[in-house]
Amino acid sequence: MLCKLLIVFTLVSHAVSDSCVRYTFEENYNDWLEHPWGSVCDHYPAWLAGKYSELNVTGQNERSNSFITPPSSGVLSCVSSFIFTMNFGGTIEVNTYMKATQTTDQIIVLVYKYTSTGDLVVGQGLNTPFDANFVEGWYNLRIPLTGPPTYEGFISILGMASPNSTVLVDSFRYIPPSMDESECIIYENLPQTRK
């Protein structure tokens, strides 16, 4: 009987960790600002929520109305996501936009394995004019994940924007290693709206 219970638990645990996670900033962004984990953002100002209707930028997806952006003060800012289950070999994809006017403009994404005794970086990516692979405009920052087979983790997004620059994050998704990315659509469940 114990063997059967262990097999069922293992199957359920594996199925949960194979879930696609999608997040847009259309609602509940303030929940991100209240998370107690991840000390990386402790001493930095938070990113701000914004609407595409206030910018001269069209959202990457016609259903996208909102984004987050660092304050345009030229100071590094930071925000951490909620905790969710990840797998070794999975991919974090962060949809970013940058129109840089200074070489200090940047977006840095750090992916952490969460533990109560200290967090471990399991993936990282960046888009900055300092980098030889810098992309201006829309850029899907893809981060392959390392770490143990399955773990709880979160992402931290750091960024800097000078006063005349546009630096923003539209959305992100986590694609498990066993899932075709076409099955993990960010905006599929949102009602279509006009900007």
Side-chain angles (χ1 to χ4, degrees), residues 115-167:
T115 69
S116 59
T117 57
D119 304 318
L120 173 69
V121 175
V122 292
Q124 58 187 341
L126 71 130
N127 195 25
T128 173
F130 276 124
D131 187 50
N133 298 317
F134 172 67
V135 176
E136 187 162 276
W138 284 107
Y139 180 58
N140 295 332
L141 185 58
R142 293 178 63 91
I143 303 167
L145 300 180
T146 62
T150 301
Y151 52 92
E152 298 299 301
F154 63 94
I155 68 172
S156 291
I157 305 172
L158 294 95
M160 188 181 298
S162 53
N164 296 315
S165 300
T166 304
V167 177

Side-chain angles (χ1 to χ4, degrees), residues 40-58:
V40 69
C41 293
D42 283 353
H43 304 291
Y44 298 105
W47 285 53
L48 307 171
K51 298 282 186 188
Y52 287 110
S53 58
E54 301 163 358
L55 283 182
N56 191 20
V57 175
T58 302

Side-chain angles (χ1 to χ4, degrees), residues 35-181:
H35 291 305
W37 52 82
S39 60
V40 69
C41 293
D42 283 353
H43 304 291
Y44 298 105
W47 285 53
L48 307 171
K51 298 282 186 188
Y52 287 110
S53 58
E54 301 163 358
L55 283 182
N56 191 20
V57 175
T58 302
Q60 190 179 31
N61 185 288
E62 62 186 4
R63 296 179 178 180
S64 177
N65 297 296
S66 303
F67 58 84
I68 58 170
T69 184
S72 60
S73 58
V75 174
L76 192 65
S77 60
C78 184
V79 66
S80 291
S81 77
F82 49 89
I83 291 176
F84 56 97
T85 305
M86 303 180 195
N87 292 81
F88 174 87
T91 302
I92 295 287
E93 184 180 79
V94 182
N95 297 315
T96 69
Y97 179 91
M98 187 180 303
K99 184 175 181 184
T101 60
Q102 301 290 326
T103 56
T104 54
D105 296 333
Q106 60 189 284
I107 296 173
I108 303 166
V109 179
L110 299 172
V111 186
Y112 290 93
K113 174 186 179 292
Y114 172 74
T115 69
S116 59
T117 57
D119 304 318
L120 173 69
V121 175
V122 292
Q124 58 187 341
L126 71 130
N127 195 25
T128 173
F130 276 124
D131 187 50
N133 298 317
F134 172 67
V135 176
E136 187 162 276
W138 284 107
Y139 180 58
N140 295 332
L141 185 58
R142 293 178 63 91
I143 303 167
L145 300 180
T146 62
T150 301
Y151 52 92
E152 298 299 301
F154 63 94
I155 68 172
S156 291
I157 305 172
L158 294 95
M160 188 181 298
S162 53
N164 296 315
S165 300
T166 304
V167 177
L168 63 86
V169 169
D170 177 84
S171 54
F172 83 86
R173 65 180 175 168
Y174 161 69
I175 307 162
S178 60
M179 179 179 284
D180 187 296
E181 64 184 75

Side-chain angles (χ1 to χ4, degrees), residues 5-16:
L5 287 175
L6 287 174
I7 290 171
V8 170
F9 176 77
T10 302
L11 291 174
V12 170
S13 175
H14 184 68
V16 170

